[in-house]
Amino acid sequence: QQSLSLFSPSKINLFLRILRKRPDGFHDLASLFQAIGLGDKLELEVIPSEEGATKDEFTCNMEGVPVDDSNLVIRALNLMRHKTSSNSNNNNANV
Protein backbone atom coordinates (compact mmCIF):
# COMPACT_ATOMS: atom_id res chain seq x y z
CA GLN A 1 0.00 0.00 0.00
CA GLN A 2 1.42 3.39 -1.02
CA SER A 3 1.22 6.05 1.68
CA LEU A 4 2.80 9.33 2.73
CA SER A 5 2.66 11.12 6.08
CA LEU A 6 3.69 14.78 6.38
CA PHE A 7 3.73 17.40 9.15
CA SER A 8 2.48 20.85 8.13
CA PRO A 9 3.59 23.39 10.74
CA SER A 10 1.39 26.26 11.84
CA LYS A 11 2.68 29.79 11.54
CA ILE A 12 2.17 33.16 13.16
CA ASN A 13 2.03 36.13 10.81
CA LEU A 14 4.21 38.90 12.21
CA PHE A 15 3.45 41.09 9.20
CA LEU A 16 0.96 40.63 6.36
CA ARG A 17 0.20 43.04 3.57
CA ILE A 18 -2.08 42.41 0.60
CA LEU A 19 -0.32 43.85 -2.45
CA ARG A 20 -2.85 43.30 -5.22
CA LYS A 21 -5.56 40.98 -6.47
CA ARG A 22 -4.41 38.80 -9.36
CA PRO A 23 -6.51 37.90 -12.42
CA ASP A 24 -6.92 34.35 -11.03
CA GLY A 25 -8.76 35.73 -7.98
CA PHE A 26 -5.90 35.15 -5.53
CA HIS A 27 -3.78 37.91 -3.95
CA ASP A 28 -0.08 38.70 -4.04
CA LEU A 29 1.13 39.04 -0.46
CA ALA A 30 4.11 40.40 1.42
CA SER A 31 4.50 38.63 4.74
CA LEU A 32 6.85 37.79 7.54
CA PHE A 33 5.96 34.74 9.60
CA GLN A 34 7.37 32.38 12.18
CA ALA A 35 6.68 28.64 12.11
CA ILE A 36 5.67 27.19 15.48
CA GLY A 37 5.60 23.70 16.95
CA LEU A 38 1.88 23.18 16.42
CA GLY A 39 0.50 21.95 13.12
CA ASP A 40 -1.40 19.32 11.20
CA LYS A 41 -0.44 15.80 10.27
CA LEU A 42 -1.43 15.04 6.68
CA GLU A 43 -1.75 11.38 5.76
CA LEU A 44 -2.19 10.36 2.13
CA GLU A 45 -2.63 6.87 0.76
CA VAL A 46 -3.77 5.19 -2.40
CA ILE A 47 -6.89 3.12 -1.82
CA PRO A 48 -6.30 -0.36 -3.27
CA SER A 49 -8.28 -0.92 -6.46
CA GLU A 50 -9.75 -4.14 -5.09
CA GLU A 51 -11.64 -2.03 -2.53
CA GLY A 52 -13.62 -0.56 -5.42
CA ALA A 53 -13.00 3.13 -4.70
CA THR A 54 -14.41 5.40 -7.39
CA LYS A 55 -13.54 8.78 -5.85
CA ASP A 56 -11.19 10.36 -3.34
CA GLU A 57 -11.95 10.23 0.38
CA PHE A 58 -11.11 13.17 2.63
CA THR A 59 -11.52 13.20 6.41
CA CYS A 60 -10.66 15.71 9.10
CA ASN A 61 -10.99 15.42 12.87
CA MET A 62 -12.03 19.07 13.24
CA GLU A 63 -15.75 19.82 12.93
CA GLY A 64 -16.70 22.43 10.36
CA VAL A 65 -13.75 21.90 8.01
CA PRO A 66 -15.10 21.39 4.48
CA VAL A 67 -14.29 17.97 3.02
CA ASP A 68 -15.48 18.73 -0.52
CA ASP A 69 -13.67 20.19 -3.53
CA SER A 70 -13.49 23.61 -1.83
CA ASN A 71 -10.85 22.31 0.60
CA LEU A 72 -7.26 23.24 -0.30
CA VAL A 73 -6.06 19.66 0.28
CA ILE A 74 -8.42 18.34 -2.41
CA ARG A 75 -7.62 21.29 -4.68
CA ALA A 76 -3.89 20.53 -4.30
CA LEU A 77 -4.50 16.83 -5.01
CA ASN A 78 -6.44 17.74 -8.16
CA LEU A 79 -3.68 20.13 -9.27
CA MET A 80 -1.04 17.42 -8.71
CA ARG A 81 -3.11 15.05 -10.85
CA HIS A 82 -3.36 17.66 -13.61
CA LYS A 83 0.39 18.47 -13.53
CA THR A 84 1.44 14.80 -13.50
CA SER A 85 -1.23 13.58 -15.95
CA SER A 86 -2.36 11.10 -13.32
CA ASN A 87 -5.88 9.74 -13.68
CA SER A 88 -5.95 8.07 -10.26
CA ASN A 89 -9.03 9.13 -8.32
CA ASN A 90 -8.88 6.69 -5.46
CA ASN A 91 -6.86 8.47 -2.80
CA ASN A 92 -7.53 8.85 0.91
CA ALA A 93 -6.49 12.09 2.64
CA ASN A 94 -6.76 12.58 6.40
CA VAL A 95 -5.91 15.76 8.29
Side-chain angles (χ1 to χ4, degrees):
Q1 181 171 342
Q2 296 175 333
S3 65
L4 176 66
S5 181
L6 302 168
F7 178 73
S8 178
S10 296
K11 64 179 178 157
I12 296 175
N13 284 315
L14 304 172
F15 170 82
L16 177 65
R17 182 175 179 186
I18 299 172
L19 301 176
R20 69 180 181 95
K21 189 171 184 177
R22 302 185 322 218
D24 62 6
F26 291 95
H27 295 86
D28 285 331
L29 305 174
S31 68
L32 176 63
F33 63 86
Q34 175 64 51
I36 60 175
L38 301 173
D40 294 314
K41 182 178 178 183
L42 177 61
E43 300 171 330
L44 301 168
E45 66 181 353
V46 175
I47 301 171
S49 58
E50 58 269 8
E51 290 185 22
T54 58
K55 65 176 195 160
D56 296 323
E57 296 176 6
F58 179 65
T59 57
C60 180
N61 65 354
M62 181 174 266
E63 188 175 325
V65 172
V67 293
D68 59 10
D69 286 346
S70 68
N71 190 288
L72 290 177
V73 171
I74 297 298
R75 290 172 58 185
L77 183 59
N78 289 333
L79 179 61
M80 179 197 71
R81 261 194 213 102
H82 175 74
K83 295 289 186 179
T84 62
S85 299
S86 172
N87 60 1
S88 168
N89 63 348
N90 57 335
N91 298 285
N92 181 7
N94 180 40
V95 177

